[in-house]
Amino acid sequence: MAQPQNAIRLERVTKTFGEVVANKDVSLNVRRGEILALLGENGSGKTTLMNMIAGIYYPDGGQIYVDDQPVDIRSPRDALGLGIGMIHQHFKLVDVFTATENIALSMDKGEKFDLRKVHDKARAICEKYQFALDLDQKVYEMSVSQKQTLEIVKVLYRGADILILDEPTAVLTPQETERLFAVIRNMKADGKAVIIITHKLHEVLSISDRVAILRKGEYVGDIATKNATESILTEMMVGEKVVLNIDRPVPENPVRRLAIRNLTVVGPEGNHVLDNADFDVFGGEILGIAGISGNGQKELLEAIAGLQTAAPGAKIEFFPPDSDTPVELVGKSPKAIREAGIHLSFVPEDRLGMGLVGSMGMTDNMMLKSYGKGVSPIVDRKAPHDLAEEIREELGVVTPSLNTPVSRLSGGNVQKVLVGRELAADPIVLMTAYAVRGLDINTSYTIYRLLNEQKKKGVAVIYVGEDLDVLLELCDRILILCGGRVNGILDGRSATKEEVGLRMTNLVKEAGV
Amino acid sequence: MHSSLIAWILRAVPFGTIIMYGALGEILTEKSGNLNLGVPGIMYLGGFAGFASAYYYETLSASPNAFVCIVVALVCAVLASMAGGLIYSFLTITLRANQNVTGLALTTFGMGVANFFGVFILNGSSYAAAPLANKAFAAQMPVLSKLGDAGKILFSYGFLAYAALLLAVVLHWFFTRTRVGLNLRAVGENPATADAAGINVTLYKYAATCVGAAICGLGGLYYVLDYNQGIWATTDQIEALGWLAVALVIFTTWKPLNAIWGAYLFGMLYWLYQFLPSLLGITVSSAMTDLIQMLPYVVTIGVLIVVSLRKKKENQPPAHLGLAYFREER
């Protein structure tokens, strides 16, 4: 019996951005009727590689074959013509268009332009796969998962038979993920080739037939999923065995730094996005904050940092190390709070949005937090430059130069710059949100180590995290938010994953443990 | 009072026609994400090329024909304006130069070119005229325009005034009902998305900008050969009209159909100072003239405020307006 046909084959494909090599001599193939998982750490070049297949980037070297014929994919249109459809991590949708209009954009040129027909055909697709999608809704009114559904419908509408999904489950609930996987399996049964990029190892193991691994832009190898385990995959991905134990020193003389009482934040719709939060924060310990995303974490940190207005009656008392009288933070400006030593290293979903200026280099981004220092009207460039150099060394930021705009760096590297800068500012209270989101395992450990160093120095660390295992291994206490309420504070050493998970999803009646 | 109201409308409609062309061309351009501030310059280019070609055709031809004159002027105006649009496109799309700077430079450039070559036509005299072209472009509808006041108000303009109305409707249909129009809007809203959908972003931007420039140029042509009675001399006003057209684009919230009534409203407001005295029976000092002529801009600011307060996405400019697109940029 003949081998199943190669839908796509890459041969020694290379791509560089400036001096950074994103992909080097990558050879890889995917067959029809196969789901290939593409695995790799951040910045390992997965998305770049897929973008070359989708025609977004053009390879500097190497050859791409579709159905074993050499092809030249110069543009996304070429890719579409070859039946290659990619669902990007960042949605490619026009906000002011309806779902139908967005679908119409990817129509075949030969097809007659009739929005009503597009609508009907798209509805048939939605019904076939049971997508819940209002085809007349404007995209800017849609939720993230609706937008992704629309992206998938778009590709299916176009009749793509080679499907690339770039981290599709990152924004989905478990139920939505299951539904997506069902769709992917249907497409596989249809004889389509599917490449899925994901970080979540259990998803890799449940959905794929074969796993291909990239490391630092190079192809490491592939393995049939049935022979793979999480530890084998992790080893292939990072290249060395990673000790999974996160260091957790015992807090020494914890001192109360923040006393938060009756903190309520009213959201734009008038609801209490944060409801009556009551807790203390101690120096010399790490307070973890667990919760399903959107349950008040952002508002809590921003209220402390002075970026959100607290409802009347709230008290946030700060106990500075050098005086006995507490300072009331409610009503103070973000700048005054920052100068008191309370630092927010907020890592937003859009890494460049809130923390860094994309078009500026590392040095200039360091300066954003120090421009007010000194009396001379001329800013000091030396100190920020040294700091940038230090962060580059310490965290291993991959950048051609300190002056390369940070928007040119990969997501993980951008995050290293952001976190590194906040850690370097000698805070008294350090708040981090999703500090390791999107970072590879090694860098995550570096961040954990740095947080522990801060803790040993007596800093009060607030760590908002997503990964329960990390929270349980890193934090001294874990505060659980559910629906904007503090749903218990557990001891990080004795709490179980089930207990935290339960409190994240169900309000416990006798709140305040 | 009755007669001055009619005179006011007869003044405002041709005036509105000029800026309607400018605004329609600029709407088309901006829908592709290109903010071309070279509208005044392009109107100069179109107006001058149209006038110069008609002028030479009239003076050099033994028996000039009105229809040929129209065709020659139209073709030359369109070509010259498109050349202006092409310069802008090359600089901002291919070389990714800053759009604001390029547009302003184009305005200065267009004015300079028109005035420089105008010197040769003027040849020392204070004005040059193309009477045949003026007659052809300003020809009124034979019977209808004689039907009393209504006939006057509705039918006493040159054919380009009606073509502008038709164009506004066609553009509306184009943006909302055709594949190419949908693609173009996608390019201006989110070029990366359009690109991923296989739309040739560069081609769309070039085409929209050049065709948009051609439409702007028709405004200049209408100004010289109809509104200004076929005279090349007192053409300084073109620049003011060009900026008014840019303001009108904002006023319409990028919708061609709004350009129709918006343009006439601007025309009424602009000429208000002349007719206010006789309408109200008061005297207006000349110092007030400029203040009253400011009204279209005041109205535009008012629209901006209202639109910004209402925060409706449909009324916002194309999301990628003013930004260059580079596929491999991250």
Side-chain angles (χ1 to χ4, degrees):
Chain A
M1 198 185 108
Q3 274 285 97
Q5 204 188 5
N6 278 330
I8 285 194
R9 188 155 61 85
L10 306 180
E11 212 175 80
R12 301 178 64 83
V13 168
T14 298
K15 178 76 191 173
T16 53
F17 292 101
E19 284 164 32
V20 177
V21 180
N23 288 125
K24 192 173 171 227
D25 287 343
V26 177
S27 302
L28 168 104
N29 71 312
V30 57
R31 292 181 282 269
R32 299 214 174 269
E34 182 184 49
I35 300 171
L36 177 76
L38 189 59
L39 198 61
E41 294 185 300
N42 275 98
S44 61
K46 304 175 302 268
T47 303
T48 306
L49 188 68
M50 291 303 109
N51 274 337
M52 282 189 276
I53 301 176
I56 303 285
Y57 297 152
Y58 191 74
D60 296 336
Q63 181 63 51
I64 300 173
Y65 300 84
V66 171
D67 296 333
D68 289 320
Q69 298 296 313
V71 290
D72 193 27
I73 306 173
R74 290 258 165 205
S75 71
R77 179 166 281 288
D78 291 353
L80 284 169
L82 293 164
I84 301 168
M86 179 157 172
I87 292 155
H88 296 267
Q89 207 175 346
H90 303 289
F91 301 131
K92 306 261 180 188
L93 296 170
V94 179
D95 271 349
V96 295
F97 283 13
T98 63
T100 306
E101 287 175 321
N102 269 290
I103 293 166
L105 274 184
S106 54
M107 267 166 57
D108 239 331
K109 265 207 170 143
E111 204 175 331
K112 191 172 170 291
F113 186 82
D114 182 347
L115 285 177
R116 202 172 309 259
K117 277 200 184 129
V118 175
H119 187 281
D120 293 346
K121 194 174 157 195
R123 165 162 296 164
I125 292 171
C126 287
E127 277 164 11
K128 183 174 167 195
Y129 296 107
Q130 297 187 321
F131 285 125
L133 188 67
D134 177 359
L135 289 165
D136 296 317
Q137 199 175 17
K138 292 264 164 78
V139 169
Y140 67 84
E141 296 166 342
M142 291 184 179
S143 72
V144 183
S145 85
Q146 284 173 313
K147 287 182 192 175
Q148 188 183 43
T149 309
L150 173 56
E151 284 282 17
I152 296 168
V153 174
K154 252 172 69 179
V155 174
L156 294 175
Y157 183 95
R158 192 63 220 291
D161 51 10
I162 301 166
L163 205 80
I164 304 166
L165 299 119
D166 190 357
E167 296 192 31
T169 60
V171 291
L172 298 184
T173 64
Q175 293 89 331
E176 289 168 329
T177 303
E178 265 320 302
R179 211 175 301 148
L180 172 70
F181 283 2
V183 173
I184 292 176
R185 289 192 186 103
N186 282 347
M187 291 190 285
K188 175 193 163 183
D190 265 5
K192 295 183 177 182
V194 181
I195 304 177
I196 176 166
I197 302 176
T198 173
H199 281 299
K200 300 176 187 166
L201 292 178
H202 67 273
E203 290 182 0
V204 172
L205 293 170
S206 84
I207 185 78
S208 69
D209 298 313
R210 196 157 55 93
V211 191
I213 291 122
L214 287 183
R215 189 198 306 154
K216 295 198 171 85
E218 292 184 50
Y219 185 62
V220 175
D222 66 342
I223 178 169
T225 307
K226 60 176 189 288
N227 302 328
T229 64
E230 294 206 1
S231 65
I232 293 175
L233 292 178
T234 312
E235 225 177 288
M236 287 178 85
M237 207 161 89
V238 296
E240 67 202 59
K241 188 131 181 78
V242 174
V243 185
L244 280 162
N245 291 320
I246 302 171
D247 191 29
R248 176 161 52 186
V250 177
E252 287 166 27
N253 319 315
V255 198
R256 189 157 74 152
R257 286 286 173 243
L258 287 177
I260 289 154
R261 299 286 175 265
N262 303 325
L263 181 58
T264 296
V265 174
V266 179
E269 278 96 45
N271 55 334
H272 288 190
V273 275
L274 187 65
D275 197 10
N276 229 354
D278 254 24
F279 63 97
D280 293 332
V281 183
F282 295 91
E285 69 158 26
I286 297 182
L287 173 68
I289 295 182
I292 295 166
S293 142
N295 274 266
Q297 297 96 317
K298 178 170 176 271
E299 288 75 16
L300 175 61
L301 297 199
E302 290 190 349
I304 297 173
L307 296 170
Q308 290 260 4
T309 318
K315 281 177 86 138
I316 305 174
E317 283 184 320
F318 172 54
F319 301 89
D322 48 1
S323 108
D324 292 333
T325 43
V327 181
E328 179 57 54
L329 296 183
V330 173
K332 279 213 159 61
S333 75
K335 190 163 178 253
I337 293 173
R338 193 181 164 79
E339 275 162 7
I342 299 164
H343 286 218
L344 173 62
S345 154
F346 189 73
V347 182
E349 280 153 59
D350 163 19
R351 294 177 185 112
L352 287 171
M354 241 177 109
L356 300 171
V357 178
S359 60
M360 299 195 331
M362 276 180 72
T363 304
D364 288 352
N365 270 299
M366 297 302 136
M367 243 156 76
L368 285 180
K369 290 284 163 98
S370 66
Y371 66 93
K373 282 186 191 156
V375 287
S376 156
I378 297 158
V379 288
D380 173 20
R381 283 190 68 90
K382 177 92 175 62
H385 181 270
D386 292 348
L387 177 59
E389 188 59 57
E390 203 183 306
I391 291 172
R392 169 150 84 155
E393 295 277 305
E394 184 110 348
L395 299 182
V397 178
V398 182
T399 173
S401 105
L402 292 180
N403 294 320
T404 304
V406 291
S407 62
R408 299 253 182 88
L409 310 185
S410 84
N413 281 314
V414 169
Q415 202 147 331
K416 288 180 192 174
V417 175
L418 186 58
V419 174
R421 183 183 66 190
E422 294 308 318
L423 291 178
D426 277 332
I428 298 165
V429 177
L430 176 68
M431 298 185 282
T432 64
Y434 310 120
V436 297
R437 178 183 278 182
L439 292 190
D440 59 56
I441 291 171
N442 280 329
T443 321
S444 299
Y445 275 86
T446 312
I447 301 278
Y448 304 145
R449 180 171 56 75
L450 292 169
L451 290 178
N452 272 323
E453 275 171 19
Q454 298 289 317
K455 167 180 161 182
K456 278 187 218 152
K457 275 168 42 184
V459 173
V461 180
I462 301 178
Y463 176 89
V464 174
E466 301 168 290
D467 190 332
L468 288 188
D469 294 317
V470 173
L471 280 164
L472 285 167
E473 284 203 29
L474 175 73
C475 303
D476 299 299
R477 292 186 303 147
I478 299 170
L479 182 154
I480 299 124
L481 282 174
C482 178
R485 283 169 163 269
V486 176
N487 199 24
I489 299 173
L490 305 177
D491 185 334
R493 284 172 180 80
S494 61
T496 63
K497 205 172 170 182
E498 289 72 29
E499 201 178 353
V500 178
L502 196 69
R503 281 176 188 270
M504 279 166 61
T505 46
N506 301 291
L507 273 176
V508 179
K509 278 286 172 290
E510 10 75 277
V513 175
Chain B
M1 175 178 161
H2 174 72
S3 62
S4 66
L5 185 65
I6 288 174
W8 190 15
I9 292 171
L10 291 181
R11 208 33 141 0
V13 170
F15 183 92
T17 301
I18 302 162
I19 57 175
M20 204 194 301
Y21 274 113
L24 290 176
E26 183 66 5
I27 288 174
L28 180 61
T29 304
E30 292 194 11
K31 285 283 182 190
S32 77
N34 276 350
L35 177 67
N36 186 356
L37 292 179
V39 174
I42 288 169
M43 284 169 76
Y44 262 104
L45 287 175
F48 178 74
F51 171 78
S53 55
Y55 174 81
Y56 282 116
Y57 173 71
E58 272 181 40
T59 38
L60 298 179
S61 168
S63 55
N65 170 294
F67 180 72
V68 176
C69 187
I70 288 175
V71 171
V72 166
L74 278 178
V75 167
C76 290
V78 163
L79 287 181
S81 320
M82 284 181 106
L86 200 61
I87 294 172
Y88 177 88
S89 301
F90 179 69
L91 284 168
T92 62
I93 302 167
T94 305
L95 302 181
R96 292 192 285 275
N98 181 298
Q99 296 192 3
N100 296 336
V101 176
T102 309
L104 290 173
L106 186 60
T107 285
T108 322
F109 172 78
M111 285 167 63
V113 167
N115 287 326
F116 174 74
F117 288 105
V119 168
F120 295 105
I121 290 184
L122 291 174
N123 204 8
S125 63
S126 61
Y127 74 94
L132 178 74
N134 176 40
K135 233 178 108 193
F137 274 94
Q140 302 180 354
M141 298 214 186
V143 184
L144 293 171
S145 59
K146 301 287 181 292
L147 294 176
D149 290 343
K152 242 186 187 169
I153 291 173
L154 293 176
F155 300 110
S156 66
Y157 317 104
F159 71 94
L160 277 179
Y162 306 101
L165 294 176
L166 186 66
L167 187 64
V169 176
V170 167
L171 276 180
H172 172 76
W173 171 82
F174 169 73
F175 288 140
T176 53
R177 292 276 178 276
T178 70
R179 179 205 305 264
V180 178
L182 187 76
N183 289 354
L184 177 66
R185 274 160 59 211
V187 167
E189 290 289 342
N190 192 336
T193 297
D195 197 358
I199 296 165
N200 188 334
V201 173
T202 306
L203 179 71
Y204 268 83
K205 275 177 165 266
Y206 260 91
T209 307
C210 290
V211 174
I215 296 171
C216 290
L218 290 180
L221 176 78
Y222 180 84
Y223 175 88
V224 180
L225 290 182
D226 187 337
Y227 184 79
N228 212 33
Q229 282 142 27
I231 291 167
W232 183 261
T234 50
T235 50
D236 291 349
Q237 212 193 356
I238 292 182
E239 195 196 351
L241 285 162
W243 293 126
L244 209 53
V246 175
L248 182 59
V249 173
I250 300 165
F251 181 86
T252 63
T253 61
W254 292 266
K255 293 178 187 66
L257 289 184
N258 287 347
I260 297 175
W261 66 272
Y264 296 150
L265 175 71
F266 274 28
M268 297 291 276
L269 292 172
Y270 191 87
W271 288 108
L272 182 63
Y273 76 95
Q274 264 200 6
F275 300 97
L276 200 58
S278 57
L279 281 172
L280 297 180
I282 53 166
T283 49
V284 174
S285 77
S286 61
M288 294 295 288
T289 305
D290 288 332
L291 267 184
I292 295 173
Q293 283 188 322
M294 229 167 58
L295 277 175
Y297 297 102
V298 175
V299 173
T300 303
I301 292 170
V303 166
L304 267 181
I305 292 171
V306 171
V307 165
S308 304
L309 284 177
R310 283 173 57 199
K311 290 199 178 87
K312 230 178 131 214
K313 280 248 186 184
E314 284 82 355
N315 291 335
Q316 298 299 318
H320 218 255
L321 183 62
L323 304 169
Y325 175 62
F326 177 40
R327 184 184 291 165
E328 301 205 354
E329 191 167 58
R330 302 208 269 181

